[in-house]
Amino acid sequence: MKRVICTGANGFIGTHTVKALLDKGYEVTALDLNIERLRELLGHHPRLNFFKANIVSDDLSNFIQEGDKVLHLAAVAHFITRKDALKAVQVNVGGTINVLEGCNKKAERIVFSSTGSVYASNVAVPIRENGELGPRPENYYGWSKLQAERWIQNYKKLTPHVILRYGYIYGILKSWGAIGDWMYNKIPKGEAPLIYGGQQTNDFTYVKDIVEANLLALETPYINETFNIGTGRAVNIRDACEACLSLSGSTLNAKIEPSRSFDYPIFLYDIAKARTLLRYSPKWTLREGISDMLKEMPTQKEVINAPKLLVH
Ligand SMILES: NC(=O)c1ccc[n+]([C@@H]2O[C@H](COP(=O)([O-])OP(=O)(O)OC[C@H]3O[C@@H](n4cnc5c(N)ncnc54)[C@H](O)[C@@H]3O)[C@@H](O)[C@H]2O)c1
């Protein structure tokens, strides 16, 4: 079984994916600035190694051997203000170039975690990878991720790639974003969940489907391709909130706040390309994902007492 080098392994998606990779029998080398979420796994798993590494400044060729597969997740992975723009470019663009240099003809492929933020808010829906307007980011985060995509494409003769543009993701360990905030910060504390606007719809994707897409991308014969990864279903934000409340057994009502300029009115992916080539088949409806999440949710006490683990 091949080895996977996973950057950003201690993050939200990294933690879930590393567990799945180990379950599938891969050997995993986890790279990150932090270790705390992987510590328990490390104690039990002989096929998991962790190295504290900075993707911006360390020589990553020390970690990558001939034939390794690289799953590149490390990033400044949230919306970025002008104040943080330089850091985001250093990590998301410069760090990606450094990862590509570390691959240096040795890696079998690089799988890159891109984002729906590469698309403009008025993109035609359902969003196709090469739709009419194409990627046209409207914020610093989207720009930095699209630039990283371009660098990866420029290196394709040296390192084949698969680019996954994840949509909105929710799941255990993500305590930010609408669902994360409701499930971690509001509902368990008896506070009204906030909805901005209320008309928008989103392609809410459970992290276990994202993990499945990562596993498929590491093995697909369709390299040098870009895929939208979501569910292909649009759910209204009020319905999403109602699902979180009712499945949590809460009688709270959502509080509606004015809409925000950066929210997409309708975000819905066309996932036909991923279905056909990657054989990606999302399994989780929003209600199923929230129910599954609830099974693993820590108690309210644990949420409050473990801010380091849950809030980042
Ligand atoms: N979470 C989402 O909703 C979402 C949606 C679309 C795309 N993505 C992309 O998926 C990837 C993973 O996202 P996530 O939600 O797990 O983010 P996260 O913030 O939870 O994890 C990112 C990890 O990268 C590590 N990291 C940051 N800078 C680093 C550096 N210089 N060197 C080494 N490690 C560094 C962090 O320590 C962290 O563990 C990111 O590339 C993100 O852009 C995430």
Side-chain angles (χ1 to χ4, degrees):
M1 185 62 87
K2 289 241 162 34
R3 192 165 73 127
V4 175
I5 313 295
C6 182
T7 73
N10 188 63
F12 162 54
I13 297 167
T15 310
H16 288 277
T17 306
V18 165
K19 282 182 194 153
L21 287 167
L22 293 169
D23 288 347
K24 284 264 174 195
Y26 287 95
E27 194 184 319
V28 179
T29 293
L31 306 180
D32 204 300
L33 297 172
N34 302 308
I35 191 178
E36 66 272 13
R37 287 173 174 162
L38 295 172
R39 212 181 284 280
E40 202 187 318
L41 265 184
L42 270 165
H44 296 99
H45 231 294
R47 278 183 283 107
L48 175 63
N49 287 305
F50 175 86
F51 295 98
K52 185 172 173 151
N54 187 330
I55 62 157
V56 177
S57 52
D58 286 330
D59 180 354
L60 301 177
S61 65
N62 293 328
F63 303 108
I64 301 170
Q65 292 166 8
E66 195 70 41
D68 283 346
K69 295 167 184 278
V70 175
L71 176 60
H72 176 32
L73 302 174
V76 175
H78 48 75
F79 284 90
I80 296 158
T81 59
R82 222 172 98 198
K83 184 169 67 64
D84 299 324
L86 181 59
K87 170 146 193 248
V89 171
Q90 284 165 342
V91 177
N92 295 1
V93 185
T96 296
I97 296 170
N98 195 37
V99 172
L100 288 163
E101 285 295 324
C103 290
N104 191 23
K105 293 190 195 166
K106 292 183 293 183
E108 187 259 349
R109 71 183 63 193
I110 180 169
V111 174
F112 177 60
S113 53
S114 190
T115 167
S117 295
V118 301
Y119 297 109
S121 54
N122 65 346
V123 63
V125 287
I127 303 168
R128 293 208 308 271
E129 290 83 352
N130 292 312
E132 214 174 292
L133 292 174
R136 217 163 38 91
E138 292 178 352
N139 56 60
Y140 299 127
Y141 173 65
W143 285 350
S144 69
K145 297 297 283 192
L146 185 61
Q147 279 185 36
E149 283 192 15
R150 298 290 187 245
W151 278 98
I152 287 167
Q153 287 159 341
N154 272 316
Y155 272 70
K156 75 178 175 198
K157 290 209 175 100
L158 299 173
T159 306
H161 63 261
V162 180
I163 293 171
L164 303 179
R165 291 181 181 152
Y166 310 145
Y168 181 102
I169 311 170
Y170 65 96
I172 286 286
L173 293 179
K174 182 173 169 182
S175 56
W176 54 276
I179 292 182
D181 186 50
W182 303 333
M183 296 296 288
Y184 276 100
N185 306 322
K186 295 289 188 300
I187 298 173
K189 297 177 192 165
E191 293 173 19
L194 301 180
I195 292 179
Y196 296 94
Q199 300 308 314
Q200 66 273 38
T201 59
N202 216 326
D203 191 336
F204 296 101
T205 308
Y206 193 40
V207 67
K208 290 188 179 176
D209 280 330
I210 297 292
V211 167
E212 190 56 28
N214 288 341
L215 296 179
L216 291 165
L218 286 165
E219 296 300 338
T220 182
Y222 294 97
I223 46 145
N224 300 337
E225 296 284 352
T226 299
F227 299 96
N228 287 342
I229 301 295
T231 66
R233 284 184 301 265
V235 175
N236 174 271
I237 188 94
R238 290 176 191 244
D239 295 337
C241 190
E242 181 44 42
C244 291
L245 285 166
S246 59
L247 292 167
S248 303
S250 169
T251 53
L252 290 164
N253 288 313
K255 187 170 167 213
I256 310 291
E257 298 279 354
S259 59
R260 302 173 301 189
S261 57
F262 53 84
D263 284 326
Y264 290 73
I266 304 175
F267 190 98
L268 172 63
Y269 266 155
D270 180 334
I271 57 166
K273 183 175 174 187
R275 275 192 193 280
T276 312
L277 300 188
L278 274 189
R279 304 267 175 224
Y280 166 72
S281 176
K283 301 205 170 30
W284 299 86
T285 64
L286 180 68
R287 289 190 74 85
E288 287 165 347
I290 298 294
S291 302
D292 191 60
M293 201 176 154
L294 277 164
K295 280 188 225 150
E296 294 178 50
M297 282 284 287
T299 63
Q300 184 192 350
K301 197 165 154 234
E302 281 162 337
V303 172
I304 293 162
N305 290 340
K308 264 207 197 129
L309 179 71
L310 299 168
V311 182
H312 58 97

